[in-house]
Amino acid sequence: MRNVQTVAANTFREAVRDRVLYNLVFFALLMMGAAILVGQISIGIERDVIVSLGLTAISVIGIFIAIFLGVALVSREMDKRTLYALLAKPVKRWEFLLGKFFGLVMTLTVNTAAMAAGLYIALWSVNHALLKSDTYVLVAVYLILLKLALIVALALLFSCFTTPFLAILFTAGMYVAGLLAGDLRTVHGVELDPGTLRLMRGISYLLPNFENFNVMGAVVHGRGVSAAIAWQATLYAILYIAIVLMGAAVVFSRRNLK
Amino acid sequence: MTQGAIEIENLSKEYPYGFLNLKKKMSLEGLTMRVEDGEVFGFLGPNGAGKSTTIKLLMRLIFPSAGTARILGKSIDDVSMHGSIGYLPEQPYFYDYLTAHEMLDYFARFHGLTANDRSARVAVMLKKVGLDTAKKIQLRKYSKGMLQRVGLAQAILHDPQVVVLDEPMSGLDPLGRREVRDIILELKREGRTVLFSTHVLSDAEMLCDRVGVIVGGKLRGMGAPGELLDMKAQGMEILFELSGVPGNLPLLTKATRTGERYRAQLPETELYEALDALKAASARILLVTQIKPTLEEYFMHLVEADRAQASAVEVSGK
């Protein structure tokens, strides 16, 4: 695991030096603007608006970073040929991939944690206090992070066998399809033969179900999130990520570099 | 038979191309060669000849269509083998957000060096390649020559037994080339095996114990530069001085004159007769030497033969 750690630490350093964390400035400005504006235009639902806006921003910014940096993790190393010297060291290809994955997840964790802190500051500035229901925001942020880790794994897989442009399209497509995975299981009002319904159900189980990580509705309205949901989502993410990374490792282990 | 440092057997690589990758292009065809322990081996060939393909196959950056190779007795599939080899890629690119010191420290970590060892090795390497004063500058600000030198440093950082350098002189000014040559010679003195590819034939002549010439994906010649060129000896050359008025020496018709010195080229069969005539004319013989083609001429001869063969195949195909 030493090699994985080394690659991960360098990936994190790369993200920091490439000013990836500058997006936090945008998030901070958004939160400050929202806190000022919300106080003026909404009465009684300031907290809900801030939580909703904050979690959406954390998710959207994270998704952009996960897809674009996730695809660039391997493809940029191949394009720039920085990988050549590294793979000539006693490093297995799967160690490199795993290091890249954990490095970006580490970056996203720091980024998401900083944004969550910004969200709490905005909440405090609106209510001048933090409520018990605000603690559920942390659960929502944690589940967003799991979702982002899964997106990184998918981006990594696609970038192992196709061009960066197609990998971005495939990852974004999988994300959208994954959001609709639940709907595929419960198609109503459409006349379909049983074979098609079975096929759709089968596909829905293969797709990553991103709805498993969405508790925003409950958290925005101050409702709690059960520990079972969090555990279930965690196990689902770990299993799915493991399978996707194994696939990526198999593809990458036989990939001819340019 | 003792074990060679690098042993390549029937190594081939074909690349798919065209619509749906249905066509195949042979980039390397049945390469069999051996680099002995402790020797400096030069891999020569024009662009696209298969030099970099061979090196990338050895480094496991690409995978062979057929054949095997071993380095220090271990299959190239064995990743642990990389602990004993150093590699400089062609036109090396490194993480440009790192400083030279950080980059070397990063690579040293993969060799399991302790923090103290890493620090010491990195300092030694930076000094060796003349970058100790630029160690805190990010690599994005480095010139091509500086990148080449830091690339060399990462290749030899862990004290490897075998060093593989892909075009190490590429992009370097004469001073930089001299420094790389010195490093290669130092590696040789230390008993390491060096395999390097190059276009610069004079460097190969100067540095290599043996060279291999690869053209069109096939190995066309291999041996000590002297041996390869001896096979193509083109006659003899005599340098002599004549004081006074030159007589009726037949050799003078073949000679060029610079002051009192004459330089004449003649077939080897006529050498002794010419020497007798010079002695009789009281000439002062300064030098008698074999006329050998340069490695460049030998190399060009192989390239032209390959091109002629390729066009003959094309014509017969039509």
Side-chain angles (χ1 to χ4, degrees):
Chain A
M1 287 304 278
R2 193 194 63 227
N3 288 347
V4 176
Q5 273 173 25
T6 305
V7 175
N10 194 51
T11 306
F12 180 72
R13 179 161 56 181
E14 179 180 6
V16 172
R17 293 203 181 164
D18 280 350
R19 301 177 178 93
V20 170
L21 300 181
Y22 275 23
N23 72 84
L24 292 172
V25 176
F26 167 75
F27 182 81
L29 289 174
L30 180 77
M31 283 292 102
M32 279 193 295
I36 295 165
L37 205 65
V38 159
Q40 292 169 0
I41 61 168
S42 52
I43 303 159
I45 55 163
E46 296 94 336
R47 179 199 169 277
D48 295 1
V49 174
I50 289 285
V51 171
S52 176
L53 188 69
L55 288 178
T56 305
I58 290 172
S59 178
V60 171
I61 292 171
I63 288 168
F64 268 98
I65 295 175
I67 292 179
F68 285 95
L69 284 194
V71 166
L73 281 178
V74 174
S75 55
R76 192 158 69 169
E77 293 246 8
M78 287 198 284
D79 281 347
K80 287 189 158 185
R81 287 184 278 171
T82 43
L83 196 53
Y84 283 23
L86 178 63
L87 290 183
K89 307 279 180 272
V91 179
K92 295 185 179 80
R93 287 191 177 200
W94 65 262
E95 290 177 326
F96 165 77
L97 273 189
L98 215 54
K100 282 281 168 186
F101 171 77
F102 282 121
L104 186 50
V105 169
M106 204 192 305
T107 309
L108 284 166
T109 306
V110 170
N111 202 48
T112 308
M115 286 195 281
L119 174 55
Y120 273 102
I121 291 169
L123 276 175
W124 189 83
S125 71
V126 168
N127 288 338
H128 301 291
L130 287 178
L131 310 172
K132 190 183 172 235
S133 59
D134 292 338
T135 53
Y136 297 124
V137 171
L138 270 186
V139 180
V141 170
Y142 167 70
L143 293 180
I144 289 173
L145 193 58
L146 287 181
K147 174 176 79 176
L148 298 181
L150 181 47
I151 295 173
V152 172
L154 289 169
L156 206 58
L157 169 68
F158 292 127
S159 67
C160 283
F161 64 83
T162 187
T163 63
F165 177 71
L166 285 180
I168 288 169
L169 283 187
F170 290 161
T171 313
M174 279 292 266
Y175 177 65
V176 174
L179 286 177
L180 303 173
D183 296 338
L184 276 178
R185 275 171 226 167
T186 52
V187 180
H188 297 298
V190 186
E191 296 261 335
L192 290 170
D193 63 273
T196 311
L197 280 172
R198 271 200 301 277
L199 178 71
M200 285 170 70
R201 196 165 294 125
I203 292 172
S204 78
Y205 283 110
L206 286 178
L207 288 171
N209 189 350
F210 285 108
E211 273 305 309
N212 284 347
F213 308 106
N214 187 6
V215 291
M216 208 192 293
V219 171
V220 165
H221 295 105
R223 293 199 301 272
V225 180
S226 72
I229 288 179
W231 273 111
Q232 225 169 21
T234 305
L235 290 174
Y236 180 79
I238 290 172
L239 191 67
Y240 210 107
I241 288 169
I243 292 169
V244 172
L245 289 181
M246 273 194 274
V250 168
V251 174
F252 193 58
S253 67
R254 296 300 301 175
R255 169 94 195 241
N256 282 312
L257 303 183
K258 281 192 296 183
Chain B
M1 198 173 176
T2 56
Q3 176 192 295
I6 301 174
E7 295 164 318
I8 299 173
E9 281 168 38
N10 204 27
L11 205 60
S12 299
K13 177 68 185 172
E14 58 181 16
Y15 285 105
Y17 73 102
F19 183 65
L20 293 177
N21 285 343
L22 292 175
K23 294 179 183 169
K24 307 272 185 199
K25 183 186 181 296
M26 209 65 171
S27 179
L28 188 68
E29 211 172 326
L31 177 70
T32 298
M33 60 175 244
R34 181 183 156 94
V35 178
E36 300 301 338
D37 203 18
E39 80 174 341
V40 176
F41 189 94
F43 212 28
L44 310 178
N47 286 334
K51 304 186 299 290
S52 289
T53 300
T54 307
I55 289 177
K56 282 185 201 166
L57 285 166
L58 289 176
M59 293 301 117
R60 219 60 185 152
L61 298 174
I62 55 176
F63 298 92
S65 309
T68 56
R70 281 183 301 280
I71 298 181
L72 298 169
K74 285 185 181 171
S75 162
I76 52 171
D77 293 326
D78 185 348
V79 175
S80 71
M81 171 269 295
H82 288 284
S84 313
I85 59 173
Y87 167 57
L88 170 71
E90 184 183 6
Q91 293 174 342
Y93 292 89
F94 299 109
Y95 302 107
D96 58 8
Y97 53 88
L98 297 181
T99 65
H101 187 278
E102 286 169 339
M103 191 203 88
L104 293 180
D105 181 73
Y106 173 61
F107 283 135
R109 287 169 188 264
F110 296 109
H111 293 287
L113 300 175
T114 62
N116 284 343
D117 286 349
R118 281 203 311 271
S119 176
R121 286 297 298 167
V122 168
V124 168
M125 284 302 120
L126 285 168
K127 201 169 169 55
K128 190 169 198 164
V129 297
L131 289 174
D132 47 342
T133 52
K135 65 182 179 184
K136 290 189 175 163
I137 297 172
Q138 281 189 328
L139 298 180
R140 59 172 57 120
K141 291 173 187 156
Y142 270 33
S143 68
K144 200 173 173 187
M146 289 163 88
L147 281 176
Q148 196 79 358
R149 282 190 274 164
V150 81
L152 259 174
Q154 64 80 32
I156 55 177
L157 177 68
H158 52 293
D159 227 2
Q161 281 173 265
V162 175
V163 183
V164 180
L165 311 170
D166 198 352
E167 300 284 356
M169 320 287 183
S170 160
L172 296 181
D173 58 18
L175 195 67
R177 278 169 53 188
R178 168 91 184 257
E179 283 168 358
V180 173
R181 275 203 302 267
D182 289 345
I183 289 174
I184 293 175
L185 287 173
E186 196 178 328
L187 292 172
K188 183 179 164 60
R189 274 197 299 275
E190 290 166 357
R192 300 179 212 281
T193 308
V194 181
L195 165 69
F196 76 95
S197 67
T198 184
H199 289 108
V200 187
L201 301 175
S202 58
D203 289 331
E205 248 177 319
M206 210 179 300
L207 292 169
C208 297
D209 297 308
R210 288 192 309 141
V211 294
V213 184
I214 185 166
V215 183
K218 291 179 186 162
L219 189 68
R220 301 298 173 125
M222 188 160 68
E227 279 172 25
L228 289 178
L229 303 180
D230 270 352
M231 290 189 291
K232 300 274 172 194
Q234 290 172 336
M236 303 302 292
E237 186 176 81
I238 308 174
L239 182 67
F240 57 94
E241 273 179 9
L242 272 178
S243 48
V245 184
N248 286 333
L249 270 173
L251 196 58
L252 290 179
T253 57
K254 295 177 181 174
T256 51
R257 181 178 177 178
T258 312
E260 290 192 342
R261 288 190 174 184
Y262 295 80
R263 190 182 292 273
Q265 294 188 348
L266 65 164
E268 198 167 350
T269 49
E270 297 172 16
L271 177 67
Y272 291 104
E273 195 185 324
L275 289 175
D276 289 342
L278 286 171
K279 196 176 165 190
S282 305
R284 187 167 167 239
I285 296 166
L286 301 171
L287 182 75
V288 178
T289 183
Q290 204 175 28
I291 305 167
K292 290 178 189 171
T294 60
L295 197 52
E296 187 168 331
E297 284 164 335
Y298 174 69
F299 177 80
M300 287 312 295
H301 164 77
L302 290 176
V303 172
E304 277 158 19
D306 184 74
R307 282 182 188 153
Q309 194 185 354
S311 41
V313 169
E314 204 173 310
V315 168
S316 66
K318 281 177 186 169

